[in-house]
């Protein structure tokens, strides 16, 4: 009788331990699931990998945890893709806002026609700021638009087409078109300078900003652009020089913040 009781007691202990382990496993899985629902994918992944290496879980439970890891990986990839799309959109919006601001300052008082009488779209009509060729159905007409813009030999027409390229994120195409304007129009010089900077071609960007300053020494936005380009190149002292020159006449909170950051970087590099 005593032997039977001992066996029964042992079974109860084993069952209790097993249930405790199962309960602990369930709790960990619930914690991981909560992290996933909160979008904390890195922490969820770390917890799932620790659980996967737990020697107390069965092969079937390991398979379940691996499935959970696969799901976390998919969500992380989806999040990265969304972030990439968002960053790309923000970059294009920032570029367009920048060029709009610079151009409005550069051409104050200039009267540029933005509307033309309605006409059939043959792919060779003059470009205006109201044209929408951003959708795929009209993308193939860009070459014809360029031919028409260049045939007019008109800086405003070239600039207006460059604006459309900016809205589509076609910075290289905008730069190449703007370079074909031989009139020295400030707007198109800015197009090349800005688009080159956005593509990481900092030397060309600086060159065109300096061309702007040689024509119009008072262009504060050109000094700001040179500062940003030098920062992109990692030449922080030169960047600081131009950012300070800009801030001296154009107080700006973000520029002031960037100056503080560069001062700290330069100080740390000297240590």
């Amino acid at each position: 009788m005593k032997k039977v009781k001992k066996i029964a007691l042992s079974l109860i202990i084993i069952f209790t331990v097993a249930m405790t382990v199962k309960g602990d496993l369930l709790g960990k899985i619930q914690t991981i699931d909560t992290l996933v629902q909160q979008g904390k994918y890195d922490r969820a992944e770390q917890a799932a990998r620790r659980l996967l290496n737990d020697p107390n879980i069965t092969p079937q439970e390991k398979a379940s945890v691996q499935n959970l890891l696969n799901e976390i990986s998919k969500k992380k990839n989806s999040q990265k893709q969304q972030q990439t799309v968002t960053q790309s959109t923000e970059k294009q919006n920032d570029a367009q806002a920048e060029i709009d601001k610079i151009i409005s300052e550069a051409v104050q008082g200039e009267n540029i026609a933005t509307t033309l009488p309605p006409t059939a779209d043959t792919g060779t009509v003059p470009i205006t700021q109201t044209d929408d060729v951003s959708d795929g159905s009209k993308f193939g007409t860009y070459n014809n638009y360029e031919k028409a813009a260049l045939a007019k030999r008109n800086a405003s027409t070239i600039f207006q087409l460059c604006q459309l390229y900016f809205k589509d994120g076609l910075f290289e195409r905008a730069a190449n078109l703007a370079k074909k304007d031989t009139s020295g129009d400030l707007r198109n010089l800015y197009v090349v300078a800005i688009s080159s900077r956005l593509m990481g071609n900092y030397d060309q960007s600086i060159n065109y900003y300096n061309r702007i300053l040689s024509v119009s020494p008072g262009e504060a936005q050109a000094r700001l652009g040179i500062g940003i380009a030098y920062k992109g190149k990692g030449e922080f002292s030169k960047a600081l020089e131009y950012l300070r020159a800009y801030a001296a006449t154009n107080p700006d909170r973000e520029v002031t913040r960037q100056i503080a950051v560069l001062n700290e970087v330069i100080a740390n590099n000297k240590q």
Side-chain angles (χ1 to χ4, degrees):
M1 187 67 179
K2 289 182 179 180
K3 187 176 182 179
V4 172
K5 287 183 177 180
K6 286 182 179 180
I7 293 172
L9 180 61
S10 297
L11 289 173
I12 291 172
I13 293 172
I14 292 171
F15 178 75
T16 302
V17 171
M19 290 302 294
T20 300
V21 171
K22 294 295 182 184
D24 184 51
L25 175 65
L26 180 60
K28 289 179 178 178
I29 290 178
Q30 288 176 336
T31 299
I32 294 169
D33 183 62
T34 299
L35 290 171
V36 171
Q37 298 303 319
Q38 293 173 346
K40 300 176 181 178
Y41 301 130
D42 288 335
R43 289 179 57 187
E45 184 178 34
Q46 292 171 3
R49 292 195 182 282
R50 285 197 299 269
L51 185 56
L52 192 64
N53 294 325
D54 189 332
N56 295 316
I57 65 174
T58 66
Q60 184 177 1
E61 290 166 345
K62 280 190 175 184
S64 298
V65 176
Q66 184 60 57
N67 288 336
L68 186 57
L69 268 171
N70 293 340
E71 187 63 28
I72 293 171
S73 179
K74 289 179 182 178
K75 289 183 178 296
K76 286 182 67 176
N77 289 335
S78 177
Q79 185 184 57
K80 286 180 181 178
Q81 290 174 356
Q82 183 59 44
Q83 288 174 345
T84 300
V85 170
T86 300
Q87 290 170 356
S88 177
T89 301
E90 289 176 350
K91 183 177 181 181
Q92 291 184 28
N93 290 341
D94 289 346
Q96 188 61 42
E98 180 182 5
I99 195 169
D100 285 346
K101 178 181 178 182
I102 290 172
I103 300 313
S104 66
E105 293 176 356
V107 297
Q108 284 180 352
E110 181 177 353
N111 182 20
I112 301 175
T114 57
T115 58
L116 290 173
T119 181
D121 182 3
T122 63
T124 58
V125 296
I127 307 302
T128 73
Q129 290 176 325
T130 56
D131 285 329
D132 180 10
V133 295
S134 301
D135 60 283
S137 64
K138 287 189 176 181
F139 187 81
T141 67
Y142 274 142
N143 288 335
N144 287 333
Y145 278 127
E146 281 199 19
K147 290 177 183 178
L150 294 172
K152 287 174 66 71
R153 296 182 179 277
N154 181 282
S156 294
T157 302
I158 291 174
F159 167 67
Q160 288 163 2
L161 180 53
C162 287
Q163 282 189 307
L164 295 180
Y165 287 160
F166 258 84
K167 289 177 181 178
D168 274 348
L170 303 174
F171 304 132
E172 184 175 8
R173 191 156 188 165
N176 290 338
L177 176 59
K179 286 178 183 179
K180 295 176 181 178
D181 174 21
T182 59
S183 70
D185 188 283
L186 284 182
R187 296 166 300 177
N188 290 323
L189 292 177
Y190 269 118
V191 166
V192 181
I194 295 170
S195 54
S196 297
R197 199 188 75 222
L198 291 172
M199 293 186 294
N201 190 348
Y202 299 118
D203 289 332
Q204 178 168 272
S205 176
I206 292 168
N207 177 41
Y208 270 82
Y209 279 126
N210 279 322
R211 287 178 62 176
I212 293 168
L213 289 173
S214 69
V215 175
S216 180
E219 289 292 317
Q221 289 292 334
R223 288 186 173 79
L224 175 61
I226 293 175
I228 297 172
Y230 272 127
K231 182 185 176 186
K233 287 187 68 177
E235 297 185 24
F236 301 131
S237 294
K238 289 184 178 180
L240 196 56
E241 175 188 344
Y242 280 94
L243 292 179
R244 282 174 173 167
Y246 174 83
T249 55
N250 299 270
D252 181 277
R253 181 179 299 177
E254 178 58 25
V255 174
T256 301
R257 189 183 72 82
Q258 289 297 326
I259 290 173
V261 170
L262 288 175
N263 277 324
E264 184 176 351
V265 170
I266 292 172
N268 290 337
N269 288 341
K270 289 181 179 178
Q271 293 178 357

